[in-house]
Amino acid sequence: MSCSLLEFCRLQELKTVRDYLFHNQTPEPLEEKSQTADNELSWDTSDWESAWDSGNNKEEEEGTAAATVEEETAGQSEPWLQDCVVSLSPCADLLVVAHEHKAVFLSAKWRTDESGREEMTLAVSWTGTLNTEEGECVSSSICIPLASQKRSSTGRPDWTCVVVGFTSGYVRFYTENGVLLLAQLLHEDSVLRLKCRTYEIPRHPGVTEQHEELSILYPAALVTIDGFSLFQSLRACRNQVARAAAAGSDMIQPPPLAYKKWGLQDMDTIVDHSSVGIMTLCVFDQMKNASILGGFNASVKGSPPAMNQYVTVGGGPYTGFYYAIEGSSQPLLSHVALAVASKLTSALFSAASGWLGWSKNKNEEEAVQKQKPKVEPATPLGIRFGLPDSRRHGESISLSPCNTLAGVTDDFGRVTLLDLARGIAVRMWKGYRDAQLGWLQVSEEQGDREFSPSASLPRRHALFLIIYAPRRGILEVWAMQQGPRVGAFTVGKHCRLLYAGYRLMGVNSVTSQGWQLHTQQVCLLDPTNGALRTVNIPFHLALSDKKSERAKDMHLLKRLTTILRSREVEPDFLEREGKNVLLDIKHPAIKKQALESLLSHKNVPVSCLTNITHTVFDTLKQQDPEEVDTALLQLCSSQLKMLQLYSDIQQLHSAAEIEADLENQDSLEGIEDELSSVGPTLKRYAELTSRPSVSFAQDSPDSPLPAQAFLSQMECTEGGELKVVRGSDTDWNHLGNFLFWDCLCGKCPLHKVCDRLQQAGISPQQLLSLLLSMWLQREKEVLQKPNETVRNLHALLIALSNMKGAVEVSWDPQSISPWWQQVRTTCIQSHNVAAALLAALVAYRAAKASITSRADSKLQSEWEAVSLELEQWVVCVRQLEDVLVLQTLLLVPPSQGAAGGTAAQCSIKTLLEGGTGGIADNVSKWVFRHNLSPERLKEIVQKKEGKNMDDKVEQQAGEGRKEEREKSQEDTERTAELLVAVCQRFPHSLSPDLLFAHCCWEYVVQWNKDPEEGRYLCWAVEHLKLVSSPHIQLGISTMMWSTFVVKRFSAATFLIEKVGKAPKDRLCRRDVGMGDKAMTSFLGCCVQLLQILMEVTGVLVKNQCPLSFINYYADSAVEEVSAPELSVEEVWSGADGPASIAELALEQRGVHYPLVQHHCLLASLLHAAMTFSLKMKPLSLFDSKGKNAFFRDLTTIQLMPSGDMDPGLVSLRQEFLLQVLTNWVQALDDPSSSDSGTGSSPLPSSGPKAGWWPSLCLELGSLLQVNPDILRRHLVCELYNQGLDLRAEEVMLEVEDKDVLGSQLLVLTGQRLCYSLLHSQSQTQAAMELLARLPPTLCTWLKAMDPSELRCPLVPLSQTSRLVGRLIEILPENHAQYVLALHLLEAVEALTTED
């Protein structure tokens, strides 16, 4: 915590800078080939050197590399930098080095060093000559960062202006890229020094707010330019230059500069100055000055005037104080000479002037340059007083940041400290020839304020003077005003101390709000290696000796922290250093902080911690009790207790002795039987939970518990007893592992561990909680050796319950003990069910033994004690056994390709909170994850395995996959057995109806999440069909319809209505949220769902009118159906949560049958339109009443269509149904490629080829008032047309109007015959002869036929002759075309005989 020199930046290419500025004076050209000494050079400068050294570079190159290095180092270490004008921006992002008329600008750049660290460097960004007048040289320069005017600015400068003063009197302003913005000739004499003052936030009320200004010192005059005026002019000039560069626009005259010019009188020579700013005298000083200046009778004005104070140094007098009263001189307005290419040549524009079109002839330019601007005369300003010392000459003055002090150097090698308010020298240092001065103001740190007596007052600031003595090569830091030297550093003899004394220009009290101004106050530039370093001074060094004690303590604390941070430290060294530091620290709060940081560090060994804490404790004991800090003493005492406990437990763990626990074995009798009864389930559970998983090594329960973690979880009560602090679950389990795991494994004497813990005063309740948490967490290890771990757990539980304060002495076995209730609560809440069950079995035994012993001591009878406690245990064990079987089932992983997802975690608590349907809900989610089909689930639930199916699979499968198949089949059977076991344990909660109801709901919920999976909705409907209770069926159908289906159903209807046909995939996705295939499947499911509703309603109201074409329900003629009673298992009767799906279903109202039928009609039409991609506007097939009734709540009674329909509507409906039949026939297989023409192949149950489409159309026809006979006749014709004669004959039997059908079929027969006689490719001689023999009427009629209407013209002649035979049967003899039919019969028979 002492002063330090920090390197924050490094200069690149210092040699390049030097060679450029001094290359004419270089005595000998330096070799570039060996760059070993130029570690600061990183740019290739060969192109510059080749230009500069073209004549001299032919020297001999025989010198060795060593000689070259020596030359370079010698050249580098020459004090060339002392001859240059150097200025650094306070933001440390721009450095200007100038010599005579040349200058180099270096800008900040970030680069990555060898180790990969980012570091800031200053690299050359511009080089050039600055003089424009003959013989003028640079005499002074400063870099002024200008604040950004943007609202988002946070205190970084917008750009930096370089101000350069010349020996000709000119002051010129440049950008960072060397572009000249502005040139002013304010006085015809050499510029001696440029200084700047920027806005500072006043630290105290009453401090005068200082204005920004730039001051320029000439040998006999001082010019001050107002900061605001300068800021605006520079911005305007920069914008103008940018505009001119971009577009060559006209020049805009920037605002003139407002400045004041004072002629400083009564001083022989002036070499430096400081503009202190505006000051206001107090009344006493005003009277004193008036009487000194005006004599005894001088009059005094009422209010003291505001004055600008200027302090100059030089000779005769050595220091002069000038005061300019505000308002005594009016500001002068300068004519601003704007520098663009047409006026003054600059680095950027000189080359471009020709092509920018601004070039004038050379004579004009020279004339402009020679014509000097008008110089205003100075206002005389007399010296008020000075410090006369005829032989001493001042060399420089440096103003402190608070404007109250200044440091002055002189030619006698002295540094004098001036108090500017009083005008006196208050301190002098000697032996500092050629000294360079700087100031550093340090704010009080937040941490220091906590302990300071002035914590409530404003933040304090300390002031330090930095003196660099180049002759001695030393940098010193002195505390102000009369403080000691607080720091000294040995640095080079050729460095430059750069002190700006200002910050950003253009800032005011409003814009600086919330800004973090990142500026360096003092920097030291070392030319030997190019390092820029800043001084870091802690605030406490400014405090008095009494306060420095605390500073020393802070330093010691920091030292300890550094030792702890280092990677590898020897324990002995750490112990020794730790003791020394803690004994040396005086302040109790810091000593406590140091001890706590030591105790909380993870790398310190326990022995080391114990020894250090002992030492501190002993020293505190030896002190006077009144002086000792009680908090520190208590900390040492409590930490020692905890460390001792930690060491003792560790020793017990490493002890080899194992004690035999025989006394409690009798109470464990019979537990083996219980373990063997749940053994198979435990084994299966262990298999399923022992799957490999990823975890972090540090989270492993086997990782040792460090002492620091142990201490962090313990605290000492006022009574001196220890208490465990509950942290995160991981920390809690780690602590439980440390205390008890070895006891459970039988590796250490558990009674000794328990005795030691009891002795430490930890409450048995906390120990019990730690034991149970650890037991449940280490479930996998416990299940590997259940018998051994259960025995040890039993012994531990008995030992803990025998501790004082565990089970109350007054406990009556008829009431519930809080101790055993704690064990039960933990088991009830745990998701690690197997471990919880084992713990419950052990605790049950222990509690029973405890109760029996109490009862024996009271009654001494042979009766077994019955208690409420044991009843609770019986229920808990039973519940855990149930949950174990259920959890084992839920852990069974799904086969590949199933829906997946993580297995649900069950506990008694979650099941009870899940309500009466919680168990069924978990199983239904499992069914979904496993992709179990409804039929398979029904088989398992009814315990009838489908062996026939398996046999078929076995016959078909190859031998190679036999083993794999057998294994998967065995797994399937085990899973089925597990599901049956779960159903047996929950006969009420998992009754078939409840299970199917929950599965139905789970599938419909999953479908709603992903409507593309149409299978989910189909299976939901299938599950619904398996529910035997019509009441539950009705309720779930209604809920499904209203919650999930109707919204998408209405969207689909309106979409098809809008498009007028089956919509494309994109439109379906946009409006209904699923693709076209999924929408077809969805509409099919809607039909089935509405049919179920109609069926169930028919059953319940004994008014059956089911749709006959779906034969799902064999038994739908139930007379009287009562609502089912939902019950729950006795041990699970405490369930308290949301109602189950079945309960909600039973609360639903009945539906209005005609309205359901109406919707079913619409769904069937939509399904047909989507399946066969038909054109149709569904709502236009209904009248206004029908349209209004759609999508209403099914439980409401709506006004339905009645009476005869409009014939137009009926014809539209008829046309649609005929289209459906035509498309269905077309969808059937071609008779030539399959045997479907024989009628023997079965049709699929869904899709466009499903066999129920014709019956559906007939059913719809009767509901839509379409004549069914028309549909049947059309179907017969279509089937014959397709060549499906056998199917046609079946349908023909149901046709009523045979005459019309006969006429239709006659035409069809004619077309077939026409094709085979006239259009067939294989026309034979015989066929042609037969055609000749036919009657002319028949021949003409046949030729008039168009066989292209036939979809299947190539039909065997036997089928055609059979069709003609049927025609003769159905046509009456008096029919007009009967004769034609006879002729046809003869022709066909003749053709058949010919074949």
Side-chain angles (χ1 to χ4, degrees), residues 1031-1224:
H1031 294 84
I1032 295 177
Q1033 234 177 4
L1034 174 72
I1036 289 186
S1037 311
T1038 317
M1039 285 155 60
M1040 272 172 74
W1041 176 260
S1042 57
T1043 312
F1044 299 111
V1045 178
V1046 70
K1047 191 176 174 188
R1048 290 185 197 274
F1049 180 63
S1050 62
T1053 309
F1054 291 128
L1055 175 62
I1056 296 173
E1057 179 73 16
K1058 184 167 74 176
V1059 178
K1061 61 179 180 180
K1064 293 280 191 296
D1065 190 75
R1066 185 181 61 81
L1067 290 173
C1068 294
R1069 287 181 192 281
R1070 189 193 69 189
D1071 287 18
V1072 192
M1074 59 182 96
D1076 54 354
K1077 288 192 177 68
M1079 191 162 115
T1080 309
S1081 163
F1082 163 65
L1083 291 168
C1085 293
C1086 291
V1087 175
Q1088 291 190 39
L1089 182 63
L1090 292 163
Q1091 283 162 359
I1092 293 171
L1093 261 173
M1094 289 160 67
E1095 289 276 351
V1096 177
T1097 308
V1099 170
L1100 291 175
V1101 299
K1102 291 187 271 181
N1103 176 20
Q1104 282 103 31
C1105 5
L1107 290 179
S1108 61
F1109 51 84
I1110 298 284
N1111 192 18
Y1112 287 119
Y1113 292 87
D1115 180 20
S1116 59
V1118 182
E1119 284 290 315
E1120 188 71 50
V1121 184
S1122 58
E1125 285 186 12
L1126 301 175
S1127 55
V1128 75
E1129 296 76 17
E1130 194 180 347
V1131 291
W1132 293 99
S1133 55
D1136 178 26
S1140 71
I1141 292 295
E1143 287 172 345
L1144 292 173
L1146 292 175
E1147 292 169 8
Q1148 301 301 312
R1149 290 165 56 200
V1151 293
H1152 182 46
Y1153 186 93
L1155 186 57
V1156 179
Q1157 192 181 46
H1158 189 54
H1159 278 88
C1160 190
L1161 205 57
L1162 177 64
S1164 303
L1165 293 171
L1166 294 175
H1167 186 214
M1170 284 302 293
T1171 305
F1172 297 111
S1173 301
L1174 301 176
K1175 289 191 174 180
M1176 163 190 149
K1177 284 187 173 286
L1179 296 179
S1180 61
L1181 300 182
F1182 295 91
D1183 61 4
S1184 55
K1185 281 184 194 171
K1187 287 177 187 171
N1188 287 335
F1190 284 130
F1191 320 123
R1192 305 281 182 191
D1193 186 357
L1194 296 181
T1195 57
T1196 58
I1197 295 175
Q1198 299 292 332
L1199 199 60
M1200 304 301 294
S1202 57
D1204 290 341
M1205 274 290 142
D1206 175 27
L1209 272 182
V1210 175
S1211 69
L1212 276 175
R1213 292 170 172 184
Q1214 180 180 313
E1215 187 189 335
F1216 177 70
L1217 292 175
L1218 293 177
Q1219 267 185 310
V1220 173
L1221 288 171
T1222 305
N1223 278 274
W1224 175 72

Side-chain angles (χ1 to χ4, degrees), residues 599-657:
L599 289 164
S600 63
H601 201 271
K602 61 179 182 292
N603 293 337
V604 187
V606 186
S607 57
C608 177
L609 288 176
T610 311
N611 294 341
I612 292 173
T613 316
H614 249 305
T615 309
V616 176
F617 186 64
D618 293 344
T619 50
L620 289 172
K621 280 285 187 188
Q622 289 163 12
Q623 290 175 15
D624 182 8
E626 290 180 5
E627 292 177 9
V628 175
D629 185 66
T630 51
L632 184 59
L633 194 65
Q634 278 176 358
L635 176 73
C636 292
S637 149
S638 62
Q639 297 296 320
L640 276 175
K641 268 187 192 170
M642 294 177 209
L643 287 166
Q644 190 60 49
L645 175 63
Y646 179 82
S647 306
D648 291 351
I649 299 281
Q650 262 193 335
Q651 280 175 2
L652 285 170
H653 284 181
S654 56
E657 58 182 286

Side-chain angles (χ1 to χ4, degrees), residues 373-477:
K374 180 189 169 194
V375 177
E376 301 286 348
T379 306
L381 184 64
I383 191 169
R384 176 74 60 87
F385 61 88
L387 297 180
D389 190 337
S390 55
R391 292 170 55 217
R392 190 184 302 273
H393 288 269
E395 291 181 343
S396 71
I397 181 168
S398 179
L399 181 66
S400 74
C402 54
N403 293 348
T404 55
L405 301 172
V408 179
T409 62
D410 57 42
D411 56 351
F412 284 179
R414 304 284 195 271
V415 174
T416 310
L417 182 68
L418 298 183
D419 182 336
L420 299 178
R422 294 188 291 164
I424 58 172
V426 291
R427 192 170 183 182
M428 188 178 273
W429 292 264
K430 70 175 190 172
Y432 293 91
R433 198 168 293 281
D434 301 329
Q436 297 168 29
L437 306 182
W439 293 88
L440 202 61
Q441 187 169 274
V442 181
S443 307
E444 186 175 18
E445 294 162 21
Q446 207 58 45
D448 293 330
R449 293 186 61 72
E450 293 172 13
F451 301 101
S452 98
S454 59
S456 57
L457 298 175
R459 201 170 177 188
R460 297 180 294 174
H461 293 74
L463 194 62
F464 297 93
L465 177 65
I466 316 291
I467 306 177
Y468 169 54
R471 299 281 182 102
R472 290 192 284 160
I474 191 168
L475 184 80
E476 295 183 347
V477 182

Side-chain angles (χ1 to χ4, degrees), residues 225-448:
I225 302 176
D226 176 56
F228 180 74
S229 161
L230 177 65
F231 182 70
Q232 298 300 341
S233 293
L234 289 176
R235 280 185 68 208
C237 292
R238 184 165 180 260
N239 293 345
Q240 172 62 25
V241 164
R243 237 177 264 122
S249 56
D250 297 335
M251 286 185 299
I252 299 167
Q253 192 66 26
L257 287 177
Y259 69 97
K260 292 180 181 176
K261 184 172 175 183
W262 305 103
L264 302 177
Q265 299 179 330
D266 309 324
M267 196 161 168
D268 297 347
T269 54
I270 298 175
V271 293
D272 199 358
H273 78 292
S274 267
S275 170
V276 182
I278 296 173
M279 59 175 293
T280 313
L281 292 177
C282 64
V283 179
F284 177 80
D285 284 347
Q286 186 191 357
M287 289 177 170
K288 179 185 73 176
N289 290 343
S291 59
I292 289 170
L293 296 172
F296 184 72
N297 296 315
S299 61
V300 181
K301 289 180 183 174
S303 60
M307 299 178 287
N308 270 304
Q309 184 183 20
Y310 305 107
V311 183
T312 56
V313 294
Y318 148 68
T319 310
F321 289 79
Y322 293 86
Y323 294 88
I325 295 171
E326 279 285 280
S328 60
S329 162
Q330 289 303 313
L332 308 167
L333 292 179
S334 74
H335 168 71
V336 176
L338 181 68
V340 285
S342 59
K343 291 281 181 83
L344 295 164
T345 57
S346 75
L348 183 61
F349 296 120
S350 57
S353 60
W355 51 261
L356 285 174
W358 298 340
S359 60
K360 299 184 176 182
N361 62 44
K362 208 164 187 184
N363 297 337
E364 275 185 51
E365 264 189 37
E366 283 172 6
V368 168
Q369 284 189 4
K370 282 174 185 168
Q371 177 191 343
K372 291 214 171 181
K374 180 189 169 194
V375 177
E376 301 286 348
T379 306
L381 184 64
I383 191 169
R384 176 74 60 87
F385 61 88
L387 297 180
D389 190 337
S390 55
R391 292 170 55 217
R392 190 184 302 273
H393 288 269
E395 291 181 343
S396 71
I397 181 168
S398 179
L399 181 66
S400 74
C402 54
N403 293 348
T404 55
L405 301 172
V408 179
T409 62
D410 57 42
D411 56 351
F412 284 179
R414 304 284 195 271
V415 174
T416 310
L417 182 68
L418 298 183
D419 182 336
L420 299 178
R422 294 188 291 164
I424 58 172
V426 291
R427 192 170 183 182
M428 188 178 273
W429 292 264
K430 70 175 190 172
Y432 293 91
R433 198 168 293 281
D434 301 329
Q436 297 168 29
L437 306 182
W439 293 88
L440 202 61
Q441 187 169 274
V442 181
S443 307
E444 186 175 18
E445 294 162 21
Q446 207 58 45
D448 293 330

Side-chain angles (χ1 to χ4, degrees), residues 658-816:
I658 306 296
E659 54 194 30
D661 183 32
L662 299 171
E663 60 193 63
N664 295 318
Q665 292 307 315
D666 53 348
S667 62
L668 260 181
E669 282 174 21
I671 200 162
E672 272 79 8
D673 301 339
E674 290 184 12
L675 285 177
S676 61
S677 68
V678 292
T681 316
L682 280 176
K683 189 179 173 189
R684 185 98 166 93
Y685 178 86
E687 281 172 24
L688 294 167
T689 51
S690 62
R691 295 174 173 246
S693 59
V694 177
S695 62
F696 293 103
Q698 63 263 33
D699 294 340
S700 164
D702 294 319
S703 57
L705 180 81
Q708 289 69 23
F710 181 80
L711 295 177
S712 68
Q713 292 189 72
M714 292 282 181
E715 65 177 34
C716 205
T717 59
E718 289 179 3
E721 293 181 344
L722 294 184
K723 179 181 159 193
V724 188
V725 183
R726 181 85 196 226
S728 68
D729 288 348
T730 314
D731 293 342
W732 189 256
N733 290 333
H734 250 112
L735 183 59
N737 265 311
F738 171 71
L739 297 178
F740 295 120
W741 180 242
D742 282 355
C743 301
L744 282 176
C745 296
K747 292 179 185 171
C748 74
L750 56 89
H751 282 287
K752 287 187 179 176
V753 171
C754 291
D755 292 345
R756 182 66 188 88
L757 290 169
Q758 186 175 8
Q759 188 188 332
I762 304 175
S763 77
Q765 282 77 12
Q766 285 196 319
L767 293 174
L768 179 66
S769 175
L770 284 165
L771 172 63
L772 291 173
S773 295
M774 180 272 308
W775 171 266
L776 295 168
Q777 185 226 1
R778 311 253 344 205
E779 184 182 64
K780 287 180 189 175
E781 293 94 326
V782 164
L783 290 177
Q784 286 167 7
K785 298 179 184 172
N787 291 337
E788 182 190 345
T789 48
V790 159
R791 269 202 309 280
N792 290 322
L793 176 66
H794 183 264
L796 267 171
L797 265 180
I798 295 283
L800 291 181
S801 57
N802 289 337
M803 279 187 185
K804 189 182 175 188
V807 183
E808 296 136 359
V809 185
S810 59
W811 172 52
D812 173 20
Q814 295 307 318
S815 61
I816 290 172

